[in-house]
Coordinates of all heavy atoms in Angstrom, one line a residue:
S857 N 97.0 68.4 89.5 CA 97.5 67.1 90.0 C 99.0 67.0 89.6 O 99.4 67.4 88.5 CB 96.7 65.9 89.6 OG 96.9 65.7 88.2
V858 N 99.8 66.4 90.5 CA 101.2 66.1 90.2 C 101.4 64.6 90.4 O 101.1 64.0 91.5 CB 102.1 66.9 91.2 CG1 103.5 66.5 90.9 CG2 101.9 68.4 91.0
N859 N 101.8 63.9 89.3 CA 101.9 62.5 89.3 C 100.7 61.8 89.9 O 100.8 60.8 90.6 CB 103.2 62.1 90.1 CG 104.5 62.4 89.4 OD1 104.5 62.8 88.2 ND2 105.6 62.4 90.1
G860 N 99.5 62.2 89.4 CA 98.3 61.6 89.8 C 97.7 62.0 91.1 O 96.6 61.6 91.5
M861 N 98.4 62.8 91.9 CA 98.0 63.2 93.2 C 97.4 64.6 93.2 O 98.1 65.6 92.7 CB 99.1 63.2 94.2 CG 98.7 63.6 95.7 SD 100.1 63.5 96.8 CE 100.6 61.8 96.7
N862 N 96.1 64.8 93.6 CA 95.5 66.1 93.5 C 96.2 67.0 94.5 O 96.4 66.6 95.7 CB 94.0 66.0 93.9 CG 93.2 65.3 92.7 OD1 93.6 65.5 91.6 ND2 92.2 64.6 93.0
M863 N 96.4 68.2 94.1 CA 97.1 69.2 94.9 C 96.1 70.3 95.3 O 95.2 70.6 94.5 CB 98.3 69.8 94.2 CG 99.3 68.8 93.7 SD 100.0 67.8 95.0 CE 101.1 69.1 95.7
P864 N 96.2 70.9 96.4 CA 95.3 72.1 96.8 C 95.7 73.3 95.8 O 96.8 73.5 95.5 CB 95.7 72.4 98.2 CG 97.1 71.9 98.4 CD 97.2 70.6 97.5
V865 N 94.6 74.0 95.4 CA 94.8 75.1 94.5 C 94.5 76.4 95.3 O 93.3 76.7 95.6 CB 93.9 75.0 93.3 CG1 94.2 76.2 92.3 CG2 94.1 73.7 92.6
P866 N 95.5 77.1 95.7 CA 95.3 78.3 96.5 C 94.4 79.4 95.7 O 94.4 79.3 94.5 CB 96.7 78.9 96.8 CG 97.6 77.7 96.5 CD 96.9 76.9 95.5
D867 N 93.8 80.2 96.4 CA 92.9 81.2 95.8 C 93.7 82.1 94.8 O 93.2 82.5 93.7 CB 92.3 82.1 96.9 CG 91.2 81.4 97.7 OD1 90.7 80.4 97.2 OD2 90.8 81.9 98.8
A868 N 95.0 82.4 95.2 CA 95.8 83.2 94.3 C 96.0 82.5 92.9 O 96.0 83.1 91.9 CB 97.1 83.5 94.9
Q869 N 96.2 81.2 93.0 CA 96.5 80.4 91.8 C 95.2 80.3 91.0 O 95.2 80.3 89.7 CB 97.0 79.0 92.1 CG 97.5 78.3 90.9 CD 98.2 77.0 91.2 OE1 98.4 76.7 92.4 NE2 98.4 76.1 90.2
K870 N 94.0 80.2 91.7 CA 92.8 80.1 91.0 C 92.5 81.4 90.2 O 92.1 81.4 89.1 CB 91.6 79.9 92.0 CG 91.6 78.5 92.5 CD 90.4 78.3 93.5 CE 90.3 76.9 94.0 NZ 89.2 76.7 95.0
A871 N 92.8 82.5 90.9 CA 92.7 83.8 90.2 C 93.6 84.0 89.0 O 93.2 84.5 88.0 CB 93.0 84.9 91.3
E872 N 94.8 83.4 89.1 CA 95.8 83.5 88.0 C 95.3 82.6 86.9 O 95.4 83.1 85.7 CB 97.1 83.0 88.5 CG 98.2 83.1 87.4 CD 98.6 84.5 87.0 OE1 98.2 85.5 87.7 OE2 99.3 84.7 86.0
L873 N 94.7 81.5 87.1 CA 94.2 80.6 86.1 C 93.0 81.3 85.4 O 92.8 81.3 84.1 CB 93.7 79.3 86.6 CG 94.8 78.3 87.0 CD1 94.3 77.1 87.8 CD2 95.6 77.9 85.8
K874 N 92.2 82.0 86.2 CA 91.0 82.8 85.6 C 91.5 83.9 84.7 O 91.0 84.1 83.6 CB 90.2 83.3 86.7 CG 88.8 83.9 86.3 CD 88.0 84.3 87.5 CE 86.6 84.7 87.1 NZ 85.8 85.1 88.2
K875 N 92.6 84.5 85.1 CA 93.2 85.6 84.3 C 93.8 85.0 83.0 O 93.7 85.6 81.9 CB 94.3 86.3 85.1 CG 93.8 87.2 86.2 CD 95.0 87.9 86.8 CE 94.6 88.9 87.9 NZ 95.7 89.5 88.6
S876 N 94.4 83.8 83.1 CA 95.0 83.2 81.9 C 93.9 82.9 80.9 O 94.1 83.1 79.7 CB 95.7 81.9 82.3 OG 96.2 81.3 81.2
I877 N 92.7 82.4 81.4 CA 91.6 82.1 80.5 C 91.1 83.4 79.8 O 90.8 83.4 78.6 CB 90.5 81.4 81.2 CG1 90.9 80.0 81.7 CG2 89.2 81.3 80.4 CD1 91.2 79.0 80.5
A878 N 91.0 84.4 80.6 CA 90.5 85.7 80.1 C 91.5 86.2 79.0 O 91.1 86.8 78.0 CB 90.4 86.7 81.2
M879 N 92.8 86.1 79.3 CA 93.8 86.5 78.3 C 93.7 85.8 77.0 O 93.8 86.4 75.9 CB 95.2 86.3 78.9 CG 96.4 86.8 78.0 SD 98.0 86.6 78.8 CE 98.1 84.8 78.7
Q880 N 93.5 84.5 77.1 CA 93.4 83.7 75.8 C 92.1 84.1 75.1 O 92.1 84.1 73.8 CB 93.4 82.2 76.2 CG 94.7 81.7 76.7 CD 94.7 80.2 77.0 OE1 94.1 79.4 76.3 NE2 95.3 79.9 78.1
K881 N 91.1 84.4 75.8 CA 89.9 84.9 75.2 C 90.1 86.2 74.4 O 89.7 86.3 73.2 CB 88.8 85.1 76.2 CG 87.4 85.6 75.7 CD 86.4 85.7 76.8 CE 85.1 86.1 76.3 NZ 84.1 86.2 77.4
I882 N 90.9 87.1 75.0 CA 91.2 88.3 74.3 C 92.1 88.1 73.1 O 91.9 88.7 72.1 CB 91.8 89.3 75.3 CG1 90.8 89.8 76.4 CG2 92.4 90.5 74.6 CD1 91.4 90.5 77.6
M883 N 93.0 87.2 73.3 CA 94.0 86.9 72.2 C 93.3 86.2 71.0 O 93.8 86.2 69.9 CB 95.1 86.0 72.7 CG 96.1 86.8 73.6 SD 97.3 85.8 74.4 CE 98.2 85.2 72.9
N884 N 92.1 85.7 71.2 CA 91.2 85.2 70.1 C 90.7 86.4 69.2 O 90.2 86.2 68.1 CB 90.1 84.4 70.6 CG 90.5 83.0 71.0 OD1 91.6 82.5 70.6 ND2 89.7 82.3 71.9
L885 N 90.8 87.6 69.8 CA 90.5 88.8 69.1 C 89.0 89.1 68.9 O 88.5 90.2 69.2 CB 91.3 89.0 67.8 CG 92.8 88.9 67.9 CD1 93.4 88.9 66.5 CD2 93.3 90.1 68.7
T886 N 88.3 88.2 68.2 CA 86.9 88.5 67.9 C 86.0 88.8 69.1 O 85.1 89.7 69.0 CB 86.2 87.4 67.0 OG1 86.3 86.2 67.7 CG2 86.9 87.3 65.7
P887 N 86.2 88.1 70.3 CA 85.3 88.5 71.4 C 85.4 89.9 71.8 O 84.5 90.5 72.4 CB 85.8 87.5 72.5 CG 86.4 86.4 71.8 CD 87.0 87.0 70.5
V888 N 86.6 90.5 71.6 CA 86.8 91.9 72.1 C 85.9 92.9 71.4 O 85.5 93.9 72.0 CB 88.3 92.3 71.8 CG1 88.6 93.8 72.1 CG2 89.3 91.4 72.6
L889 N 85.5 92.6 70.1 CA 84.6 93.5 69.4 C 83.2 93.0 69.4 O 82.3 93.8 69.3 CB 85.1 93.5 67.9 CG 86.5 94.1 67.7 CD1 86.7 94.2 66.2 CD2 86.6 95.5 68.3
Q890 N 83.0 91.7 69.7 CA 81.6 91.1 69.6 C 80.9 91.1 70.9 O 79.7 91.1 71.0 CB 81.7 89.7 69.1 CG 82.2 89.6 67.6 CD 82.4 88.2 67.2 OE1 82.3 87.2 68.0 NE2 82.7 88.0 65.9

């Protein structure tokens, strides 16, 4: 949302957000081995 207005989230941006979450998971380090 921008200034309280919901914005459409294109598929490409959804995929990028999913990658960002996966990256943070890896940067936590322990999941990589567990």
